[in-house]
Amino acid sequence: MLLIFSIITPSLATAAEKTDQEKLYETRMDLYQKTEAITHIPWYYLAAIDQYERNLRYSRKDLPKPDGAIGIYFSPEIWSGAVNPNKEDTDPFTIHSFAGFGLDGNGDGKAKRLDDEDVLYTMAHFIETYGTSHDDIKIALWDYYQRDKTVGIILGHMQVFKKFGTVALDKHAFPVPLRSNHSYKNTWGDRRGWGGRRTHEGTDIFASYGVPVRSTSYGIVEIKGWNKFGGWRVGIRDLNNTYHYYAHLNGFAKDLQVGQIVEPGMIIGSVGSSGYGPPGTAGKFPPHLHYGMYKDNGYTEWSFDPYPHLRSWERQERARR
């Protein structure tokens, strides 16, 4: 009996984790839709803002990690008012008197900065003061974040949530078909000569010409075209504020366009060797996919090692098969 218990425990734990995640998605969707009914701000805009801010909190050290269902963060000064002597004020009247943002979203008479309903309603109410049309919401987002790129990322998230009608979009795929003859190792940080001294910001996946290249995530195509160091390349922004860079392609998928919504496994191009050296050297280097990942933290964007993610996504896809 002890042996049997030790064998089945991991699978039971995994099932429980999935159930908890599904419950969390349901809780978030309930909160989004409840707030939409009150403020008339469509749920997918609220989900996009929440998703963006949650990822900020995971990528920055100056923000506390989220511990509730909603990831939107208001500092004590913003919530209670910059000159409010009580930085954890929960009285809507005094918060308003000190020009704080905090509002009571669940009708309990208190505006609690760490309450999911109060936080989501406060953000939605701020946007509602500008109006409920797409253009109104876009202006509200710019006034709040004061950054064009942030507004673009949030509106991209919104389109993905709206298209699929759910927030349960955490599936990933490996960039090339598992059945293809491919190989890769951790090439992060290797030296590169073409284009001047620089480090390798990605993982090279070697495969034959024409092997399909696939989106690894849900997201939006941000760039498509030519770069003298990357050749034919595609850039996709996912729901984790992460930019995925696919370079040295042989070509693009038919009708692939900037602004297009993609999902895991969707073909976006094929493996090639374009841009891998000076003009005229195409075809003289081994064909491969350069795959890079870049994180946006609300201020700037930096590259990080994609190799551990690639290994994880490969294992997950094999397990699903």
Side-chain angles (χ1 to χ4, degrees):
M1 285 297 290
L2 288 176
L3 178 60
I4 295 174
F5 182 79
S6 66
I7 292 174
I8 66 174
T9 297
S11 61
L12 290 175
T14 302
E17 288 173 5
K18 290 182 179 179
T19 301
D20 289 343
Q21 188 63 48
E22 290 170 355
K23 288 180 179 178
L24 181 58
Y25 287 143
E26 291 175 0
T27 298
R28 286 175 184 160
M29 183 62 83
D30 288 344
L31 289 168
Y32 300 149
Q33 293 177 335
K34 178 180 178 180
T35 306
E36 175 184 8
I38 298 171
T39 64
H40 306 294
I41 303 299
W43 72 266
Y44 36 84
Y45 286 98
L46 301 176
I49 297 168
D50 183 39
Q51 183 74 4
Y52 174 79
E53 292 228 355
R54 181 178 300 105
N55 287 307
L56 288 191
R57 296 175 70 174
Y58 281 121
S59 64
R60 280 168 46 180
K61 295 180 179 180
D62 62 325
L63 296 174
K65 299 298 182 283
D67 57 5
I70 300 300
I72 296 170
Y73 176 73
F74 291 101
S75 68
E77 291 76 18
I78 296 296
W79 185 267
S80 300
V83 295
N84 190 336
N86 182 5
K87 296 306 180 184
E88 296 300 333
D89 197 352
T90 61
D91 186 327
F93 177 77
T94 55
I95 289 174
H96 177 73
S97 300
F98 285 105
F101 268 56
L103 296 170
D104 173 18
N106 57 14
D108 66 356
K110 295 182 178 180
K112 291 175 284 190
R113 189 173 65 87
L114 302 181
D115 182 271
D116 286 335
E117 289 186 82
D118 291 353
V119 168
L120 188 60
Y121 174 74
T122 296
M123 177 59 78
H125 176 77
F126 170 81
I127 295 172
E128 186 188 19
T129 60
Y130 288 76
T132 58
S133 73
H134 177 79
D135 288 342
D136 292 332
I137 295 173
K138 187 175 180 179
I139 293 170
L141 291 173
W142 195 92
D143 281 352
Y144 187 79
Y145 291 103
Q146 299 282 303
R147 184 175 182 245
D148 288 338
K149 187 169 187 176
T150 292
V151 175
I153 292 174
I154 291 174
L155 294 181
H157 291 354
M158 177 276 295
Q159 293 179 60
V160 176
F161 287 134
K162 182 179 181 181
K163 176 179 174 63
F164 293 102
T166 179
V167 294
L169 301 174
D170 53 7
K171 178 183 174 183
H172 288 88
F174 194 68
V176 298
L178 297 185
R179 67 180 182 277
S180 65
N181 185 15
H182 65 274
S183 64
Y184 68 106
K185 62 181 181 179
N186 194 347
T187 54
W188 171 260
D190 288 358
R191 293 184 63 183
R192 287 292 181 268
W194 165 236
R197 284 192 175 184
R198 55 198 176 95
T199 58
H200 190 234
E201 295 182 344
T203 294
D204 288 337
I205 302 175
F206 290 88
S208 301
Y209 281 106
V211 167
V213 172
R214 311 184 300 171
S215 173
T216 59
S217 63
Y218 293 93
I220 297 283
V221 176
E222 282 195 358
I223 64 165
K224 170 199 170 188
W226 175 264
N227 177 281
K228 66 179 180 179
F229 299 134
W232 298 114
R233 86 281 196 244
V234 173
I236 294 172
R237 179 78 56 182
D238 75 6
L239 293 171
N240 292 318
N241 302 353
T242 300
Y243 178 78
H244 302 252
Y245 182 66
Y246 307 76
H248 306 315
L249 300 178
N250 193 48
F252 304 112
K254 184 180 179 181
D255 300 327
L256 185 74
Q257 299 294 332
V258 172
Q260 184 173 340
I261 297 172
V262 297
E263 58 185 295
M266 178 176 171
I267 296 175
I268 59 173
S270 60
V271 172
S273 62
S274 61
Y276 194 65
T281 60
K284 297 182 180 179
F285 296 91
H288 68 279
L289 169 69
H290 169 92
Y291 181 80
M293 297 176 73
Y294 299 78
K295 176 66 71 176
D296 182 90
N297 67 358
Y299 294 129
T300 187
E301 193 167 67
W302 73 94
S303 62
F304 61 96
D305 187 359
Y307 182 76
H309 298 274
L310 291 169
R311 292 297 302 272
S312 175
W313 298 338
E314 184 180 22
R315 288 193 299 268
Q316 291 171 15
E317 189 169 345
R318 291 191 186 281
R320 288 195 297 269
R321 294 180 62 186

